[in-house]
Amino acid sequence: MCNALGIINFEDNSVDVTGLADYRPIPSLTFMGRYRLIDFVLSNMTNSGISNIQVYVKNKPRSVYEHLGTGRHYNINSKHGKLRIMHGEEPIQSPIYNTDINAFKSNIQFIEEANRPYVIIAPSYLVYTIDFNDVLNYHIGSKADVTVITKPTDLAKTSFIGCETLILDKDKHIVSAEANRGKYKNRNISLEAYVMKKELFLELIDLAQKTSSLFWLKDVLRDNIDRYNMNAYIHRGIVYPINSLAEYKRANLELTDFHVSKQLFDQDWPIMTRTSDTPPTHYGKTALVTKSSVANGCKIDGTIINSVIGRGVTVKEGAVVIDSILLPGVTVGSGIHLEQVIVDKNARVTEVRELKGTADKPVYVKRRDRI
Amino acid sequence: MRQNQMLGMILAGGRGTRLEDLTNKVAKPAVFFGGKYRIIDFPLSNCANSGVHVVGVLTQYESVLLNSYVAQDQKWGLDTKDSGVFVLPPREKSDGFGMYRGTADAITQNIDFIDQYNPEYVLILSGDHIYKMNYARMLQFHKDQSADVTIAVLEVPLKEASRFGIMNCDENDVIYEFEEKPKEPKSNLASMGIYIFSWKQLRKSLLQDLKDDKSDHDFGKNIIPDFLSTKKKLMAYRFKGYWKDVGTLDSLWESNMDLLDESNALDLMDPSWKIYTEDVAAPPHFVQEHGSVVRSIVNQGSVINGHVENSVLFTNVIIEEGAVVKDSVIMPNAVIGKNARIERVIIASDIEISENAVVGSADSEHIELIAKNR
């Protein structure tokens, strides 16, 4: 058992997954045609033995409530454990006030009441797997005030744009922090996942409020970098930031390669989700599929190359799908050619003959659209 | 306790000897089917979808896996306050330990369980048949006909009728005679082993049967004949649709192959009558660079880098590069090694087929089974 309160935080406005995010909050984004983003951080927490978890939602909470339910499918015990979905209770005068600090503040009594000495805070827009016990033990051993999970990357010129980068000294002590503008190749990316004592967390909420009502948790930490002892915990595994449509596409398509995805999907560290009781996928005589991942409940009779096929998708005979992502419930009619396209849930592509995007600018088809 | 209208009782004690090594360590109802399911998911899902909320499952042979499997009743949504799936293996009683001596005896020994719910009707099911059926409609028929027992029947080809228990009926589908595997069948209405009894009547008949030393304590051999001889009203309820008793390796294979036909009558894709099963945390399946799949069904977690044709792949199956799988059923966690050739084979769960192995052949008379020995 992990002696920490788990807090799943919401992302700030540097995360902008245009299109997909118009219909649901970031934690509810469909991933690999089967998961929602929040499944990763939540499974990390429950697999680590964290049994008391608070999920903070910025907006549009319906899909989050529906997906998480009591949390039983994430192994959260309905008697001893607790999964709470939190949102600000006070009216928000303007979207700029919709910060994580304000949401924590309006639920402060539930944080105070949680009978755990530590808090582990992590957002859901970063996809990776980690054992939080290792981080907590490292934190306790290091005697730091705050431990920040950090991913060293050599992709910072093109990826992790807008994420916070950390400058570390040789003892992995955090010296300064700034947003990644894509200027350098090698950067240490903050995964915005923090371990600290609960008292310090409460102190930081207070401090943030006193400084500026627009402050986010990461602002107050950056602002007080010299005041507290902050250390980086280096995470070596793969991490995908889902902070833009291009990153969403890159993550999904890279994971169609089993050699990549097996770094994320380990039978001993299961990523759990809500089941929808769909049958296995049916391939017809004319199916031609390669380098792709396919969720359950699909009917495949067409050609699929290097794509992610979501649950319950129909690809008719003569349809061609290349470098694309089809979200659950999509239908692609016969003779349709899709390349570099992201088709949102339950859309039907049966009339337009061809849609072609580019690697950087995939075409996005709206949810439930008919084209 | 609130009165329960119709209680379900599933007979799941049978071994299924003709399934050979597949049932060494599990009873037949727990055998895998259809890429994702176990056979007993079908009657249990039918119960859940028909509004039969309390189900007793009578287990006996190698019941450890089956007991733990069905006890997690949330799988079928049967976990509200008023519902549940209850595992009922034989138990020690004040007058000794009694195995279930027959299908009827299994119910007799659990009269106390049924009485707790005080049901008006009891639905008796078999745990080893593949079909989708709305038992609520059958109950309505039972009530409309004021029957004492209603038996679901399937029209089978007359030349195959001698393999089944046959119900001989008048023009109103009132059963006047029951013949077990008749040499010269008079009718083609085969019993599906699905009965709705009015509980008071059945209870009386079971207690009488218990006293009869010569009885086999079997529904077909004893209880139904007793209802006939005492002039009770027995009705045949005609079922139209897919139904299969997967008693042999060949028929298990065949019913898996039935699913490959896109317009198959079982239609697992129908969202209005889902079949529920264990929720396994596995990613989607992956078709890799050298992989190809035609006319097959594939479940989540599988990784295909060889050629798969006319086959059923369960959860977390691995088909390595160059392997060819044809007309076969590959159960969970099996690995087919590089360049292996598999044809007309059932591969049991957790089996590893080594590189370059050749198993089964296109013209074999029977389906080959690769499973762990006892």
Side-chain angles (χ1 to χ4, degrees), chain A residues 32 34-35 72 255-256 258 276 278 281-284 291-292 294 296, chain B residues 36 79 260 274 282-283 285-288 295-300:
Chain A
M32 292 302 285
R34 166 174 164 75
Y35 300 100
R72 178 155 70 178
L255 285 165
T256 59
F258 182 65
S276 55
T278 35
T281 278
H282 185 281
Y283 288 89
K291 292 204 279 187
S292 296
V294 183
N296 268 6
Chain B
K36 178 167 183 177
D79 59 339
L260 302 183
K274 283 185 179 179
H285 67 262
F286 298 90
V287 184
Q288 296 297 275
R295 202 173 179 273
S296 293
I297 68 172
V298 181
N299 200 31
Q300 63 199 57

PDB file of all heavy atoms in Angstrom, chain A residues 32 34-35 72 255-256 258 276 278 281-284 291-292 294 296, chain B residues 36 79 260 274 282-283 285-288 295-300:
ATOM      1  N   MET A  32      -5.661   5.033 -28.435  1.00  0.00           N
ATOM      2  CA  MET A  32      -5.470   3.693 -28.985  1.00  0.00           C
ATOM      3  C   MET A  32      -6.821   3.002 -29.229  1.00  0.00           C
ATOM      4  O   MET A  32      -6.925   1.781 -29.142  1.00  0.00           O
ATOM      5  CB  MET A  32      -4.618   2.819 -28.062  1.00  0.00           C
ATOM      6  CG  MET A  32      -3.173   3.250 -27.949  1.00  0.00           C
ATOM      7  SD  MET A  32      -2.328   3.299 -29.543  1.00  0.00           S
ATOM      8  CE  MET A  32      -2.087   1.543 -29.845  1.00  0.00           C
ATOM      9  N   ARG A  34      -9.304   2.488 -27.619  1.00  0.00           N
ATOM     10  CA  ARG A  34      -9.888   1.661 -26.581  1.00  0.00           C
ATOM     11  C   ARG A  34      -9.859   2.340 -25.222  1.00  0.00           C
ATOM     12  O   ARG A  34     -10.766   2.172 -24.430  1.00  0.00           O
ATOM     13  CB  ARG A  34      -9.091   0.356 -26.526  1.00  0.00           C
ATOM     14  CG  ARG A  34      -9.333  -0.489 -25.304  1.00  0.00           C
ATOM     15  CD  ARG A  34      -8.612  -1.814 -25.399  1.00  0.00           C
ATOM     16  NE  ARG A  34      -8.532  -2.444 -24.099  1.00  0.00           N
ATOM     17  CZ  ARG A  34      -9.541  -3.038 -23.479  1.00  0.00           C
ATOM     18  NH1 ARG A  34     -10.717  -3.093 -24.057  1.00  0.00           N
ATOM     19  NH2 ARG A  34      -9.391  -3.557 -22.295  1.00  0.00           N
ATOM     20  N   TYR A  35      -8.794   3.113 -24.983  1.00  0.00           N
ATOM     21  CA  TYR A  35      -8.616   3.742 -23.675  1.00  0.00           C
ATOM     22  C   TYR A  35      -9.113   5.175 -23.700  1.00  0.00           C
ATOM     23  O   TYR A  35      -9.363   5.750 -24.762  1.00  0.00           O
ATOM     24  CB  TYR A  35      -7.132   3.741 -23.299  1.00  0.00           C
ATOM     25  CG  TYR A  35      -6.552   2.351 -23.215  1.00  0.00           C
ATOM     26  CD1 TYR A  35      -5.805   1.819 -24.245  1.00  0.00           C
ATOM     27  CD2 TYR A  35      -6.794   1.565 -22.096  1.00  0.00           C
ATOM     28  CE1 TYR A  35      -5.301   0.530 -24.167  1.00  0.00           C
ATOM     29  CE2 TYR A  35      -6.290   0.283 -22.008  1.00  0.00           C
ATOM     30  CZ  TYR A  35      -5.544  -0.231 -23.043  1.00  0.00           C
ATOM     31  OH  TYR A  35      -5.056  -1.502 -22.966  1.00  0.00           O
ATOM     32  N   ARG A  72     -14.370   0.798  -9.563  1.00  0.00           N
ATOM     33  CA  ARG A  72     -14.132  -0.622  -9.314  1.00  0.00           C
ATOM     34  C   ARG A  72     -13.297  -1.261 -10.424  1.00  0.00           C
ATOM     35  O   ARG A  72     -12.461  -2.110 -10.164  1.00  0.00           O
ATOM     36  CB  ARG A  72     -15.460  -1.362  -9.169  1.00  0.00           C
ATOM     37  CG  ARG A  72     -15.238  -2.842  -8.948  1.00  0.00           C
ATOM     38  CD  ARG A  72     -16.378  -3.481  -8.237  1.00  0.00           C
ATOM     39  NE  ARG A  72     -17.543  -3.550  -9.095  1.00  0.00           N
ATOM     40  CZ  ARG A  72     -18.678  -4.113  -8.720  1.00  0.00           C
ATOM     41  NH1 ARG A  72     -18.795  -4.634  -7.530  1.00  0.00           N
ATOM     42  NH2 ARG A  72     -19.691  -4.144  -9.535  1.00  0.00           N
ATOM     43  N   LEU A 255       2.502   3.886 -31.520  1.00  0.00           N
ATOM     44  CA  LEU A 255       2.157   2.736 -30.685  1.00  0.00           C
ATOM     45  C   LEU A 255       1.539   1.586 -31.477  1.00  0.00           C
ATOM     46  O   LEU A 255       1.282   0.521 -30.923  1.00  0.00           O
ATOM     47  CB  LEU A 255       1.216   3.169 -29.553  1.00  0.00           C
ATOM     48  CG  LEU A 255       1.927   3.950 -28.432  1.00  0.00           C
ATOM     49  CD1 LEU A 255       0.921   4.654 -27.549  1.00  0.00           C
ATOM     50  CD2 LEU A 255       2.811   3.028 -27.597  1.00  0.00           C
ATOM     51  N   THR A 256       1.297   1.775 -32.777  1.00  0.00           N
ATOM     52  CA  THR A 256       0.830   0.634 -33.570  1.00  0.00           C
ATOM     53  C   THR A 256       1.957  -0.378 -33.751  1.00  0.00           C
ATOM     54  O   THR A 256       1.710  -1.523 -34.097  1.00  0.00           O
ATOM     55  CB  THR A 256       0.329   1.055 -34.971  1.00  0.00           C
ATOM     56  OG1 THR A 256       1.403   1.702 -35.653  1.00  0.00           O
ATOM     57  CG2 THR A 256      -0.852   1.987 -34.874  1.00  0.00           C
ATOM     58  N   PHE A 258       4.269  -2.874 -32.284  1.00  0.00           N
ATOM     59  CA  PHE A 258       4.219  -3.626 -31.031  1.00  0.00           C
ATOM     60  C   PHE A 258       5.508  -3.484 -30.223  1.00  0.00           C
ATOM     61  O   PHE A 258       5.498  -3.526 -29.001  1.00  0.00           O
ATOM     62  CB  PHE A 258       3.915  -5.098 -31.316  1.00  0.00           C
ATOM     63  CG  PHE A 258       3.808  -5.924 -30.068  1.00  0.00           C
ATOM     64  CD1 PHE A 258       2.792  -5.695 -29.156  1.00  0.00           C
ATOM     65  CD2 PHE A 258       4.735  -6.921 -29.800  1.00  0.00           C
ATOM     66  CE1 PHE A 258       2.697  -6.445 -27.990  1.00  0.00           C
ATOM     67  CE2 PHE A 258       4.644  -7.676 -28.637  1.00  0.00           C
ATOM     68  CZ  PHE A 258       3.629  -7.429 -27.735  1.00  0.00           C
ATOM     69  N   SER A 276     -16.656  -2.226 -22.522  1.00  0.00           N
ATOM     70  CA  SER A 276     -17.938  -1.962 -23.168  1.00  0.00           C
ATOM     71  C   SER A 276     -18.513  -3.251 -23.738  1.00  0.00           C
ATOM     72  O   SER A 276     -19.437  -3.217 -24.535  1.00  0.00           O
ATOM     73  CB  SER A 276     -17.792  -0.891 -24.232  1.00  0.00           C
ATOM     74  OG  SER A 276     -16.802  -1.270 -25.128  1.00  0.00           O
ATOM     75  N   THR A 278     -17.686  -5.453 -25.932  1.00  0.00           N
ATOM     76  CA  THR A 278     -17.766  -5.653 -27.374  1.00  0.00           C
ATOM     77  C   THR A 278     -17.142  -6.997 -27.740  1.00  0.00           C
ATOM     78  O   THR A 278     -16.183  -7.424 -27.112  1.00  0.00           O
ATOM     79  CB  THR A 278     -17.034  -4.537 -28.144  1.00  0.00           C
ATOM     80  OG1 THR A 278     -15.888  -4.162 -27.380  1.00  0.00           O
ATOM     81  CG2 THR A 278     -17.901  -3.342 -28.356  1.00  0.00           C
ATOM     82  N   THR A 281     -13.021  -8.621 -32.944  1.00  0.00           N
ATOM     83  CA  THR A 281     -13.137  -7.996 -34.268  1.00  0.00           C
ATOM     84  C   THR A 281     -13.253  -9.049 -35.359  1.00  0.00           C
ATOM     85  O   THR A 281     -12.628 -10.095 -35.299  1.00  0.00           O
ATOM     86  CB  THR A 281     -11.924  -7.078 -34.496  1.00  0.00           C
ATOM     87  OG1 THR A 281     -12.196  -5.843 -33.847  1.00  0.00           O
ATOM     88  CG2 THR A 281     -11.641  -6.821 -35.955  1.00  0.00           C
ATOM     89  N   HIS A 282     -14.085  -8.737 -36.340  1.00  0.00           N
ATOM     90  CA  HIS A 282     -14.311  -9.665 -37.449  1.00  0.00           C
ATOM     91  C   HIS A 282     -13.612  -9.162 -38.703  1.00  0.00           C
ATOM     92  O   HIS A 282     -13.833  -8.027 -39.128  1.00  0.00           O
ATOM     93  CB  HIS A 282     -15.814  -9.788 -37.700  1.00  0.00           C
ATOM     94  CG  HIS A 282     -16.157 -10.807 -38.740  1.00  0.00           C
ATOM     95  ND1 HIS A 282     -16.036 -10.550 -40.082  1.00  0.00           N
ATOM     96  CD2 HIS A 282     -16.559 -12.089 -38.631  1.00  0.00           C
ATOM     97  CE1 HIS A 282     -16.381 -11.638 -40.760  1.00  0.00           C
ATOM     98  NE2 HIS A 282     -16.696 -12.590 -39.898  1.00  0.00           N
ATOM     99  N   TYR A 283     -12.763  -9.996 -39.277  1.00  0.00           N
ATOM    100  CA  TYR A 283     -12.112  -9.679 -40.548  1.00  0.00           C
ATOM    101  C   TYR A 283     -12.794 -10.461 -41.663  1.00  0.00           C
ATOM    102  O   TYR A 283     -12.982 -11.673 -41.533  1.00  0.00           O
ATOM    103  CB  TYR A 283     -10.641 -10.088 -40.515  1.00  0.00           C
ATOM    104  CG  TYR A 283      -9.784  -9.206 -39.641  1.00  0.00           C
ATOM    105  CD1 TYR A 283      -9.610  -9.483 -38.289  1.00  0.00           C
ATOM    106  CD2 TYR A 283      -9.144  -8.093 -40.170  1.00  0.00           C
ATOM    107  CE1 TYR A 283      -8.825  -8.672 -37.488  1.00  0.00           C
ATOM    108  CE2 TYR A 283      -8.356  -7.276 -39.370  1.00  0.00           C
ATOM    109  CZ  TYR A 283      -8.198  -7.567 -38.037  1.00  0.00           C
ATOM    110  OH  TYR A 283      -7.414  -6.760 -37.250  1.00  0.00           O
ATOM    111  N   GLY A 284     -13.140  -9.777 -42.732  1.00  0.00           N
ATOM    112  CA  GLY A 284     -13.760 -10.447 -43.869  1.00  0.00           C
ATOM    113  C   GLY A 284     -12.727 -10.945 -44.867  1.00  0.00           C
ATOM    114  O   GLY A 284     -11.525 -10.769 -44.690  1.00  0.00           O
ATOM    115  N   LYS A 291       0.600  -3.199 -40.063  1.00  0.00           N
ATOM    116  CA  LYS A 291       1.154  -2.160 -39.189  1.00  0.00           C
ATOM    117  C   LYS A 291       0.070  -1.311 -38.512  1.00  0.00           C
ATOM    118  O   LYS A 291       0.112  -0.083 -38.552  1.00  0.00           O
ATOM    119  CB  LYS A 291       2.110  -1.255 -39.982  1.00  0.00           C
ATOM    120  CG  LYS A 291       3.381  -1.986 -40.402  1.00  0.00           C
ATOM    121  CD  LYS A 291       4.521  -1.031 -40.648  1.00  0.00           C
ATOM    122  CE  LYS A 291       4.422  -0.407 -42.010  1.00  0.00           C
ATOM    123  NZ  LYS A 291       5.590   0.406 -42.351  1.00  0.00           N
ATOM    124  N   SER A 292      -0.897  -1.962 -37.915  1.00  0.00           N
ATOM    125  CA  SER A 292      -2.003  -1.220 -37.329  1.00  0.00           C
ATOM    126  C   SER A 292      -2.412  -1.846 -36.011  1.00  0.00           C
ATOM    127  O   SER A 292      -2.106  -3.003 -35.746  1.00  0.00           O
ATOM    128  CB  SER A 292      -3.205  -1.231 -38.280  1.00  0.00           C
ATOM    129  OG  SER A 292      -2.893  -0.548 -39.469  1.00  0.00           O
ATOM    130  N   VAL A 294      -5.913  -2.576 -33.728  1.00  0.00           N
ATOM    131  CA  VAL A 294      -7.350  -2.659 -33.954  1.00  0.00           C
ATOM    132  C   VAL A 294      -8.018  -3.059 -32.641  1.00  0.00           C
ATOM    133  O   VAL A 294      -7.644  -4.056 -32.022  1.00  0.00           O
ATOM    134  CB  VAL A 294      -7.682  -3.702 -35.055  1.00  0.00           C
ATOM    135  CG1 VAL A 294      -9.176  -3.727 -35.336  1.00  0.00           C
ATOM    136  CG2 VAL A 294      -6.891  -3.428 -36.335  1.00  0.00           C
ATOM    137  N   ASN A 296     -11.571  -3.992 -30.260  1.00  0.00           N
ATOM    138  CA  ASN A 296     -12.612  -5.005 -30.434  1.00  0.00           C
ATOM    139  C   ASN A 296     -13.851  -4.457 -31.138  1.00  0.00           C
ATOM    140  O   ASN A 296     -14.040  -3.255 -31.246  1.00  0.00           O
ATOM    141  CB  ASN A 296     -13.023  -5.556 -29.068  1.00  0.00           C
ATOM    142  CG  ASN A 296     -12.208  -6.781 -28.704  1.00  0.00           C
ATOM    143  OD1 ASN A 296     -11.282  -7.159 -29.406  1.00  0.00           O
ATOM    144  ND2 ASN A 296     -12.570  -7.411 -27.600  1.00  0.00           N
TER     145      ASN A 296
ATOM    146  N   LYS B  36     -13.446 -14.906 -27.114  1.00  0.00           N
ATOM    147  CA  LYS B  36     -13.449 -14.050 -25.943  1.00  0.00           C
ATOM    148  C   LYS B  36     -14.174 -14.674 -24.758  1.00  0.00           C
ATOM    149  O   LYS B  36     -13.930 -14.302 -23.624  1.00  0.00           O
ATOM    150  CB  LYS B  36     -14.142 -12.739 -26.345  1.00  0.00           C
ATOM    151  CG  LYS B  36     -14.281 -11.737 -25.223  1.00  0.00           C
ATOM    152  CD  LYS B  36     -14.665 -10.362 -25.716  1.00  0.00           C
ATOM    153  CE  LYS B  36     -14.707  -9.402 -24.553  1.00  0.00           C
ATOM    154  NZ  LYS B  36     -15.004  -8.047 -24.901  1.00  0.00           N
ATOM    155  N   ASP B  79     -25.178  -7.742 -10.138  1.00  0.00           N
ATOM    156  CA  ASP B  79     -24.588  -7.431  -8.836  1.00  0.00           C
ATOM    157  C   ASP B  79     -25.330  -6.314  -8.109  1.00  0.00           C
ATOM    158  O   ASP B  79     -24.763  -5.622  -7.289  1.00  0.00           O
ATOM    159  CB  ASP B  79     -23.103  -7.067  -8.997  1.00  0.00           C
ATOM    160  CG  ASP B  79     -22.893  -5.875  -9.912  1.00  0.00           C
ATOM    161  OD1 ASP B  79     -23.798  -5.571 -10.714  1.00  0.00           O
ATOM    162  OD2 ASP B  79     -21.840  -5.247  -9.827  1.00  0.00           O
ATOM    163  N   LEU B 260     -17.317 -17.078 -38.266  1.00  0.00           N
ATOM    164  CA  LEU B 260     -16.550 -16.407 -39.323  1.00  0.00           C
ATOM    165  C   LEU B 260     -17.457 -15.946 -40.454  1.00  0.00           C
ATOM    166  O   LEU B 260     -17.113 -15.046 -41.206  1.00  0.00           O
ATOM    167  CB  LEU B 260     -15.467 -17.342 -39.872  1.00  0.00           C
ATOM    168  CG  LEU B 260     -14.476 -17.862 -38.838  1.00  0.00           C
ATOM    169  CD1 LEU B 260     -13.410 -18.708 -39.512  1.00  0.00           C
ATOM    170  CD2 LEU B 260     -13.840 -16.708 -38.082  1.00  0.00           C
ATOM    171  N   LYS B 274     -26.120  -8.238 -25.757  1.00  0.00           N
ATOM    172  CA  LYS B 274     -24.681  -8.477 -25.619  1.00  0.00           C
ATOM    173  C   LYS B 274     -24.412  -9.740 -24.817  1.00  0.00           C
ATOM    174  O   LYS B 274     -25.169 -10.070 -23.902  1.00  0.00           O
ATOM    175  CB  LYS B 274     -24.033  -7.300 -24.895  1.00  0.00           C
ATOM    176  CG  LYS B 274     -23.828  -6.079 -25.772  1.00  0.00           C
ATOM    177  CD  LYS B 274     -23.067  -5.011 -25.018  1.00  0.00           C
ATOM    178  CE  LYS B 274     -22.842  -3.790 -25.900  1.00  0.00           C
ATOM    179  NZ  LYS B 274     -22.125  -2.737 -25.209  1.00  0.00           N
ATOM    180  N   ALA B 282      -6.304  -5.851 -21.527  1.00  0.00           N
ATOM    181  CA  ALA B 282      -5.315  -6.049 -22.592  1.00  0.00           C
ATOM    182  C   ALA B 282      -5.489  -4.929 -23.605  1.00  0.00           C
ATOM    183  O   ALA B 282      -6.600  -4.441 -23.803  1.00  0.00           O
ATOM    184  CB  ALA B 282      -5.530  -7.404 -23.267  1.00  0.00           C
ATOM    185  N   PRO B 283      -4.394  -4.511 -24.243  1.00  0.00           N
ATOM    186  CA  PRO B 283      -4.501  -3.456 -25.260  1.00  0.00           C
ATOM    187  C   PRO B 283      -5.260  -3.974 -26.485  1.00  0.00           C
ATOM    188  O   PRO B 283      -5.628  -5.140 -26.530  1.00  0.00           O
ATOM    189  CB  PRO B 283      -3.042  -3.155 -25.597  1.00  0.00           C
ATOM    190  CG  PRO B 283      -2.296  -4.385 -25.242  1.00  0.00           C
ATOM    191  CD  PRO B 283      -3.025  -4.987 -24.082  1.00  0.00           C
ATOM    192  N   HIS B 285      -5.597  -5.329 -30.407  1.00  0.00           N
ATOM    193  CA  HIS B 285      -4.651  -6.263 -31.026  1.00  0.00           C
ATOM    194  C   HIS B 285      -3.845  -5.539 -32.106  1.00  0.00           C
ATOM    195  O   HIS B 285      -4.231  -4.483 -32.592  1.00  0.00           O
ATOM    196  CB  HIS B 285      -5.346  -7.521 -31.544  1.00  0.00           C
ATOM    197  CG  HIS B 285      -6.269  -7.322 -32.697  1.00  0.00           C
ATOM    198  ND1 HIS B 285      -7.632  -7.192 -32.555  1.00  0.00           N
ATOM    199  CD2 HIS B 285      -6.034  -7.236 -34.028  1.00  0.00           C
ATOM    200  CE1 HIS B 285      -8.183  -7.043 -33.740  1.00  0.00           C
ATOM    201  NE2 HIS B 285      -7.237  -7.058 -34.642  1.00  0.00           N
ATOM    202  N   PHE B 286      -2.688  -6.129 -32.405  1.00  0.00           N
ATOM    203  CA  PHE B 286      -1.760  -5.479 -33.332  1.00  0.00           C
ATOM    204  C   PHE B 286      -1.522  -6.390 -34.530  1.00  0.00           C
ATOM    205  O   PHE B 286      -1.237  -7.566 -34.365  1.00  0.00           O
ATOM    206  CB  PHE B 286      -0.411  -5.226 -32.646  1.00  0.00           C
ATOM    207  CG  PHE B 286      -0.510  -4.293 -31.465  1.00  0.00           C
ATOM    208  CD1 PHE B 286      -0.744  -4.773 -30.190  1.00  0.00           C
ATOM    209  CD2 PHE B 286      -0.381  -2.923 -31.645  1.00  0.00           C
ATOM    210  CE1 PHE B 286      -0.843  -3.908 -29.106  1.00  0.00           C
ATOM    211  CE2 PHE B 286      -0.475  -2.050 -30.561  1.00  0.00           C
ATOM    212  CZ  PHE B 286      -0.708  -2.542 -29.295  1.00  0.00           C
ATOM    213  N   VAL B 287      -1.673  -5.821 -35.729  1.00  0.00           N
ATOM    214  CA  VAL B 287      -1.254  -6.544 -36.925  1.00  0.00           C
ATOM    215  C   VAL B 287       0.050  -5.888 -37.357  1.00  0.00           C
ATOM    216  O   VAL B 287       0.092  -4.688 -37.613  1.00  0.00           O
ATOM    217  CB  VAL B 287      -2.308  -6.466 -38.046  1.00  0.00           C
ATOM    218  CG1 VAL B 287      -1.873  -7.310 -39.231  1.00  0.00           C
ATOM    219  CG2 VAL B 287      -3.673  -6.922 -37.537  1.00  0.00           C
ATOM    220  N   GLN B 288       1.130  -6.655 -37.382  1.00  0.00           N
ATOM    221  CA  GLN B 288       2.440  -6.072 -37.626  1.00  0.00           C
ATOM    222  C   GLN B 288       2.830  -6.144 -39.100  1.00  0.00           C
ATOM    223  O   GLN B 288       2.061  -6.625 -39.932  1.00  0.00           O
ATOM    224  CB  GLN B 288       3.477  -6.771 -36.735  1.00  0.00           C
ATOM    225  CG  GLN B 288       3.201  -6.528 -35.249  1.00  0.00           C
ATOM    226  CD  GLN B 288       3.316  -5.049 -34.875  1.00  0.00           C
ATOM    227  OE1 GLN B 288       4.369  -4.531 -34.599  1.00  0.00           O
ATOM    228  NE2 GLN B 288       2.194  -4.341 -34.892  1.00  0.00           N
ATOM    229  N   ARG B 295     -10.795 -13.328 -43.114  1.00  0.00           N
ATOM    230  CA  ARG B 295     -11.944 -14.131 -42.678  1.00  0.00           C
ATOM    231  C   ARG B 295     -11.669 -14.794 -41.329  1.00  0.00           C
ATOM    232  O   ARG B 295     -11.626 -16.011 -41.188  1.00  0.00           O
ATOM    233  CB  ARG B 295     -12.281 -15.183 -43.734  1.00  0.00           C
ATOM    234  CG  ARG B 295     -13.726 -15.658 -43.598  1.00  0.00           C
ATOM    235  CD  ARG B 295     -14.161 -16.572 -44.713  1.00  0.00           C
ATOM    236  NE  ARG B 295     -15.550 -16.975 -44.480  1.00  0.00           N
ATOM    237  CZ  ARG B 295     -15.888 -18.024 -43.744  1.00  0.00           C
ATOM    238  NH1 ARG B 295     -14.962 -18.788 -43.203  1.00  0.00           N
ATOM    239  NH2 ARG B 295     -17.169 -18.316 -43.556  1.00  0.00           N
ATOM    240  N   SER B 296     -11.466 -13.948 -40.329  1.00  0.00           N
ATOM    241  CA  SER B 296     -11.114 -14.456 -39.002  1.00  0.00           C
ATOM    242  C   SER B 296     -11.712 -13.538 -37.952  1.00  0.00           C
ATOM    243  O   SER B 296     -12.120 -12.423 -38.258  1.00  0.00           O
ATOM    244  CB  SER B 296      -9.590 -14.478 -38.826  1.00  0.00           C
ATOM    245  OG  SER B 296      -9.017 -15.430 -39.698  1.00  0.00           O
ATOM    246  N   ILE B 297     -11.752 -14.011 -36.713  1.00  0.00           N
ATOM    247  CA  ILE B 297     -12.038 -13.075 -35.633  1.00  0.00           C
ATOM    248  C   ILE B 297     -10.876 -13.072 -34.655  1.00  0.00           C
ATOM    249  O   ILE B 297     -10.258 -14.093 -34.386  1.00  0.00           O
ATOM    250  CB  ILE B 297     -13.394 -13.312 -34.940  1.00  0.00           C
ATOM    251  CG1 ILE B 297     -13.427 -14.593 -34.165  1.00  0.00           C
ATOM    252  CG2 ILE B 297     -14.544 -13.278 -35.914  1.00  0.00           C
ATOM    253  CD1 ILE B 297     -14.688 -14.721 -33.348  1.00  0.00           C
ATOM    254  N   VAL B 298     -10.581 -11.865 -34.168  1.00  0.00           N
ATOM    255  CA  VAL B 298      -9.392 -11.657 -33.358  1.00  0.00           C
ATOM    256  C   VAL B 298      -9.777 -10.846 -32.126  1.00  0.00           C
ATOM    257  O   VAL B 298     -10.451  -9.829 -32.237  1.00  0.00           O
ATOM    258  CB  VAL B 298      -8.311 -10.893 -34.162  1.00  0.00           C
ATOM    259  CG1 VAL B 298      -7.061 -10.698 -33.323  1.00  0.00           C
ATOM    260  CG2 VAL B 298      -7.979 -11.628 -35.454  1.00  0.00           C
ATOM    261  N   ASN B 299      -9.328 -11.291 -30.973  1.00  0.00           N
ATOM    262  CA  ASN B 299      -9.637 -10.550 -29.748  1.00  0.00           C
ATOM    263  C   ASN B 299      -8.471  -9.656 -29.334  1.00  0.00           C
ATOM    264  O   ASN B 299      -7.358  -9.761 -29.853  1.00  0.00           O
ATOM    265  CB  ASN B 299     -10.005 -11.502 -28.614  1.00  0.00           C
ATOM    266  CG  ASN B 299     -10.783 -10.798 -27.526  1.00  0.00           C
ATOM    267  OD1 ASN B 299     -11.528  -9.856 -27.809  1.00  0.00           O
ATOM    268  ND2 ASN B 299     -10.599 -11.200 -26.289  1.00  0.00           N
ATOM    269  N   GLN B 300      -8.731  -8.805 -28.342  1.00  0.00           N
ATOM    270  CA  GLN B 300      -7.751  -7.834 -27.901  1.00  0.00           C
ATOM    271  C   GLN B 300      -6.482  -8.506 -27.367  1.00  0.00           C
ATOM    272  O   GLN B 300      -6.506  -9.642 -26.904  1.00  0.00           O
ATOM    273  CB  GLN B 300      -8.355  -6.926 -26.837  1.00  0.00           C
ATOM    274  CG  GLN B 300      -8.751  -7.667 -25.582  1.00  0.00           C
ATOM    275  CD  GLN B 300      -9.736  -6.868 -24.741  1.00  0.00           C
ATOM    276  OE1 GLN B 300     -10.797  -6.500 -25.210  1.00  0.00           O
ATOM    277  NE2 GLN B 300      -9.386  -6.607 -23.500  1.00  0.00           N
TER     278      GLN B 300
END
